[in-house]
Amino acid sequence: MDYNIPNLPFRDENSNKGTFGKILNVSGSEYMTGAACLSSIAALKIGAGYVELASHENVLRAAATLAPEIVLAPTEKILELTKTSTVLLIGCGLSTSEKATKIFKETISSSINLPTVIDADGLNILSQNKIELPENVVLTPHPKEASRLLHTTLDKVLQSPEEAALEICKTYNCVTVLKLHRTIVASQYGTIYHNKTGNSALAKAGSGDVLAGMIAGLLAQHMNIFDASVLGVYLHGLAGDLAKNDLTAYGVLASDTIRYIPYAIKTLCLHCIINKAYGIR
């Protein structure tokens, strides 16, 4: 079915950083520092008020250099931080080590009331363990991760991606963002959105981390999980389209996509103004 692109979250002038949410990002590991940084910066770039990154010391050093706006914390502080956060983002570059699996299980169990985005290694850990998930959770698999979540073959997922997305929703009681050339967003209630933005420039390492951060950033601004997922996917693809226009599909990096998020927002706002003027929904 067609699903209208949701409106951007309202930003009250009488506000502070707490107004726009506090994200706890549990991502990254000793030898995978980039994913945590990309997802954290993307969440801030789309409007989240506060991102606290809990990770390995190597990741924290990289994040401090790349973006001083990110608040840093050791993994030992995670359970304490879940009490003061409004959104959880977990899994980007986390690894699937024994320690990472323990961190994932403990964080999820202590964050059961938080809207949650699970990406990358978080999905791989989830596929191998029976874990009670929060009520409001978004899973963001690419097809191979989807096959692991469903314990099926990659070919089956690719043959019937919409069916696979809905099956993940049913199995995990979640919203599913199945990342394809035309990404599918599905809900546990059977609602489907087929995205039409994006291009091959987004087929690069780090792109999924940016998307996960964008969805978390919209959740932090009090959007519901399906609308946040749809709008995040749409704006991510649009940022990729705008970046491609300037840099070519060959030259766009995930960090470039982040840089184009504000331009994607401006483009969406312009489209909304034009459509309203012409009475187009």
Side-chain angles (χ1 to χ4, degrees):
M1 63 173 288
D2 291 331
Y3 190 86
N4 291 330
I5 302 301
N7 293 326
L8 287 160
F10 176 71
R11 292 185 73 84
D12 194 338
E13 291 298 327
N14 182 19
S15 58
N16 57 66
K17 62 180 179 286
T19 307
F20 305 116
K22 178 181 177 183
I23 298 170
L24 170 59
N25 188 6
V26 180
S27 293
S29 52
E30 184 175 5
Y31 301 111
M32 291 187 284
T33 60
C37 298
L38 290 168
S39 56
S40 297
I41 298 168
L44 290 168
K45 203 73 169 178
I46 205 166
Y50 192 103
V51 175
E52 190 147 17
L53 174 61
S55 193
H56 187 277
E57 60 183 15
N58 289 2
V59 178
L60 301 184
R61 280 196 292 267
T65 302
L66 288 171
E69 299 88 353
I70 302 170
V71 181
L72 310 175
T75 54
E76 291 77 16
K77 291 279 189 179
I78 288 174
L79 299 188
E80 177 184 334
L81 294 172
T82 59
K83 299 174 184 177
T84 57
S85 300
T86 56
V87 171
L88 172 65
L89 169 59
I90 187 167
C92 303
L94 187 63
S95 88
T96 55
S97 68
E98 184 177 339
K99 182 177 181 181
T101 299
K102 182 174 183 291
I103 288 172
F104 182 86
K105 289 179 176 179
E106 291 179 349
T107 303
I108 291 294
S109 66
S110 66
S111 309
I112 210 70
N113 295 319
L114 295 181
T116 297
V117 180
I118 302 177
D119 186 45
D121 284 326
L123 300 171
N124 295 327
I125 293 170
L126 180 62
S127 70
Q128 298 166 8
N129 298 270
K130 188 173 179 60
I131 299 170
E132 182 184 359
L133 294 178
E135 182 177 344
N136 294 309
V137 62
V138 181
L139 304 187
T140 58
H142 57 56
K144 186 62 177 177
E145 290 163 342
S147 71
R148 294 177 188 136
L149 288 168
L150 293 174
H151 304 287
T152 188
T153 64
L154 176 59
D155 284 343
K156 285 188 176 180
V157 171
L158 293 174
Q159 286 167 8
S160 304
E162 185 174 302
E163 183 179 323
L166 288 169
E167 186 62 26
I168 292 172
C169 294
K170 179 180 177 182
T171 303
Y172 295 92
N173 190 32
C174 67
V175 166
T176 300
V177 175
L178 181 54
K179 297 179 288 193
L180 301 156
H181 169 57
R182 292 292 179 230
T183 292
I184 294 170
V185 183
S187 81
Q188 58 270 61
Y189 308 109
T191 310
I192 296 281
Y193 166 75
H194 293 268
N195 192 53
K196 296 179 181 178
T197 60
N199 60 82
S200 66
L202 297 174
K204 285 191 179 173
S207 186
D209 305 309
V210 173
L211 175 59
M214 292 174 71
I215 294 171
L218 293 169
L219 284 174
Q221 296 170 82
H222 313 296
M223 293 190 75
N224 69 62
I225 59 171
F226 190 78
D227 282 353
S229 299
V230 169
L231 185 56
V233 166
Y234 178 86
L235 288 173
H236 179 253
L238 183 55
D241 290 338
L242 296 172
K244 175 192 172 185
N245 289 343
D246 289 344
L247 306 174
T248 79
Y250 299 90
V252 177
L253 303 178
S255 53
D256 294 319
T257 308
I258 293 174
R259 189 159 55 87
Y260 278 83
I261 291 172
Y263 301 105
I265 291 171
K266 287 177 69 175
T267 301
L268 176 60
C269 290
L270 179 60
H271 286 170
C272 290
I273 291 169
I274 293 172
N275 288 347
K276 186 174 181 181
Y278 286 92
I280 302 171
R281 291 190 60 194

